[in-house]
């Protein structure tokens, strides 16, 4: 592995190309990250040398596959400081993890008149499962609103979370605003009222140290593909005592203890929730991604991204005709590092899709749209934004190319309207 953030781009061959005759600047990391050679090599090695189904086989390849699959689980456990490997369930991704909770814990514990509290900044994956659960159960779905600066309004949270609240589910970091939410404080509020605390960690686990025990969350969900791993693999962390009482999410092979004609028993944790042949290679690839990030150090990953934000954000805010959304006070007294490498913006008079297309002509890959956060867009009075999102292999040169390309885009469209 390359030794520092300036040289590790060599581990990502996909970045070494031109797009539209310009150097590629990949700034769509909130949608999906790129994979280093080390992760690709782990996938290839598994398929070429160890490919077999896990857990049930006694032959050599099956034992090697099982060993690597369960070793990946142990790596994830250490990565987020879960108490036990039993608390780590492999899923398809964050969306699958959140649906698992809603379909098991939610179905069993939400009754008519109960409350589910989320925030207005949620990705649809952490909104629709609770919305639909509330509709099915005749429960009330409540939203924590934002402050004027794009942060979670904790005074509103204290009002919204009541003794009728059974579930609080909030993103650890916004996929639009870059806001890092005070999950530990929310967990304290939730627990004071007897509710469980769920955190959507899709935009946090890849970018900052996560300690689920210190955060005091009951569930934590994240995806492999946003943190250098393969697509189709994700993680649900759940407290052992909660997972033990939850019914299985799906039924079939791999999750059973014994099957009789008229009933069945379930496997122990965490396999009770892993029906069918799992994404074995994906889990092993995720383990390799965890190794890569662990070697870099998650404190250093966060610091690297913070340096890029500190460099870019003031310049972007100062650019005439550009509006930036989300927290902008980089010296926040309570949260000195409260903004991830996700920056949403718009160019005055230009649709975000047109802006993104123009930036692509300059080799800069950004995302444009509602970012699966339509209630947030409505709260901001917007239809869509452009979004640049940074990761470990991005550099100050990438930020400069974004700024240069934005200026060129503005001038082109300003000239075109004259």
């Amino acid at each position: 592995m390359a030794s520092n953030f300036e040289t590790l781009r060599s581990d990502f061959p996909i970045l070494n190309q031109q797009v539209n005759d310009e150097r590629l600047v990949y700034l769509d990391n909130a949608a999906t990250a790129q994979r280093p050679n080390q992760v690709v090599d782990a996938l290839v090695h598994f398929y070429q040398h160890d490919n077999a189904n896990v857990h049930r086989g006694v032959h050599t390849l099956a034992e090697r596959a099982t060993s690597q699959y369960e070793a990946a689980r142990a790596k994830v456990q250490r990565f987020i400081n879960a108490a036990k490997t039993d608390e780590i369930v492999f899923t398809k991704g964050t969306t699958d993890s959140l649906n698992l909770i809603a379909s098991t814990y939610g179905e069993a514990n939400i009754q008519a008149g109960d409350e589910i509290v989320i925030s207005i900044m949620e990705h649809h994956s952490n909104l629709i499962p609770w919305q639909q659960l509330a509709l099915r159960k005749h429960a009330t779905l409540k939203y924590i609103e934002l402050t004027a600066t794009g942060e979670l309004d904790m005074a509103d949270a204290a009002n919204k979370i009541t003794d009728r609240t059974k579930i609080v589910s909030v993103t650890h970091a916004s996929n639009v605003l870059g806001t890092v939410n005070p999950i530990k404080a929310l967990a304290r509020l939730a627990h004071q009222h007897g509710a469980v605390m769920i955190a959507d960690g899709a935009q946090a686990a890849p970018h900052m140290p996560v300690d689920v025990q210190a955060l005091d969350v009951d569930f934590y969900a994240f995806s492999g593909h946003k943190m250098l791993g393969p697509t189709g693999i994700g993680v649900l962390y759940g407290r052992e005592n909660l997972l033990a009482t939850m019914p299985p999410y799906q039924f079939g092979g791999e999750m059973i203890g014994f099957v009789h004609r008229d009933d069945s028993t379930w496997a122990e944790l965490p396999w009770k929730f892993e029906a069918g042949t799992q994404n074995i290679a994906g889990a092993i690839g995720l383990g390799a991604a965890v190794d890569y990030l662990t070697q870099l150090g998650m404190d250093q990953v966060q610091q690297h991204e913070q340096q890029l934000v500190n460099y870019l954000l003031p310049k972007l805010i100062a650019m005439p005709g550009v509006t930036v959304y989300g927290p902008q006070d980089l010296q926040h007294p309570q949260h000195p590092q409260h903004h991830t490498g996700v920056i949403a913006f718009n160019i005055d008079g230009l649709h975000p899709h047109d802006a993104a297309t123009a930036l692509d002509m300059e080799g800069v890959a950004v995302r444009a749209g509602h970012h699966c956060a339509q209630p947030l867009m409505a709260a901001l009075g917007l239809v869509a934004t452009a979004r640049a999102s940074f990761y470990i292999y991005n550099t100050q040169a990438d930020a400069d190319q974004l700024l240069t390309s934005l200026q060129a885009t503005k001038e082109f469209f300003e000239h075109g309207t004259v």
Side-chain angles (χ1 to χ4, degrees), residues 50-54 56-66:
D50 304 318
N51 182 47
N53 215 328
V54 297
R56 305 275 178 178
V58 296
H59 60 81
T60 298
L61 264 60
E63 289 182 347
R64 292 208 304 245
T66 299

Side-chain angles (χ1 to χ4, degrees), residues 19 66 98-99 111 119 148 165 184 188 215 253-254 260 296 312 328 331 381 403:
V19 171
T66 299
L98 294 167
N99 274 275
Q111 309 297 328
S119 85
T165 303
K184 186 171 184 177
R188 185 164 54 250
L215 290 172
E254 297 289 341
H260 307 275
L296 280 177
L312 173 66
Q328 299 178 14
Q331 304 302 319
L403 291 167

Side-chain angles (χ1 to χ4, degrees), residues 46-233:
F46 171 74
Y47 280 126
Q48 289 184 339
H49 298 279
D50 304 318
N51 182 47
N53 215 328
V54 297
H55 296 146
R56 305 275 178 178
V58 296
H59 60 81
T60 298
L61 264 60
E63 289 182 347
R64 292 208 304 245
T66 299
S67 177
Q68 292 177 62
Y69 181 75
E70 293 302 331
R73 195 189 309 275
K75 291 174 184 179
V76 171
Q77 176 212 348
R78 292 190 294 270
F79 186 69
I80 62 171
N81 193 34
K84 299 180 177 181
T85 55
D86 291 356
E87 298 178 323
I88 304 299
V89 177
F90 284 129
T91 65
K92 291 186 295 185
T94 307
T95 301
D96 191 33
S97 296
L98 294 167
N99 274 275
L100 190 162
I101 308 168
S103 299
T104 55
Y105 184 88
E107 286 289 343
N109 289 279
I110 294 296
Q111 309 297 328
D114 288 343
E115 298 172 350
I116 302 169
V117 177
I118 62 175
S119 85
I120 198 64
M121 70 173 73
E122 299 308 316
H123 187 283
H124 294 164
S125 294
N126 197 34
L127 189 160
I128 299 173
W130 311 118
Q131 178 194 75
Q132 296 302 307
L133 177 64
L135 289 170
R136 288 195 304 274
K137 295 288 191 171
H138 303 288
T140 300
L141 182 65
K142 299 164 74 174
Y143 291 85
I144 304 169
E145 302 295 337
L146 304 181
T147 66
T149 57
E151 295 174 285
L152 202 67
D153 187 335
M154 289 301 289
D156 190 46
N159 289 327
K160 294 288 174 62
I161 299 171
T162 74
D163 288 342
R164 300 191 72 88
T165 303
K166 296 298 186 290
I167 290 173
V168 178
S169 190
V170 173
T171 185
H172 195 170
S174 170
N175 73 310
V176 179
L177 303 175
T179 309
V180 180
N181 288 320
I183 294 298
K184 186 171 184 177
L186 284 169
R188 185 164 54 250
L189 268 176
H191 294 153
Q192 285 172 356
H193 292 279
V196 298
M197 180 69 213
I198 302 164
D200 172 354
Q203 299 295 337
H207 303 283
M208 64 188 70
V210 171
D211 183 332
V212 292
Q213 294 187 74
L215 290 172
D216 201 22
V217 290
D218 298 292
F219 298 99
Y220 196 93
F222 59 100
S223 298
H225 72 97
K226 297 182 190 294
M227 51 181 286
L228 311 179
T231 55
I233 188 71

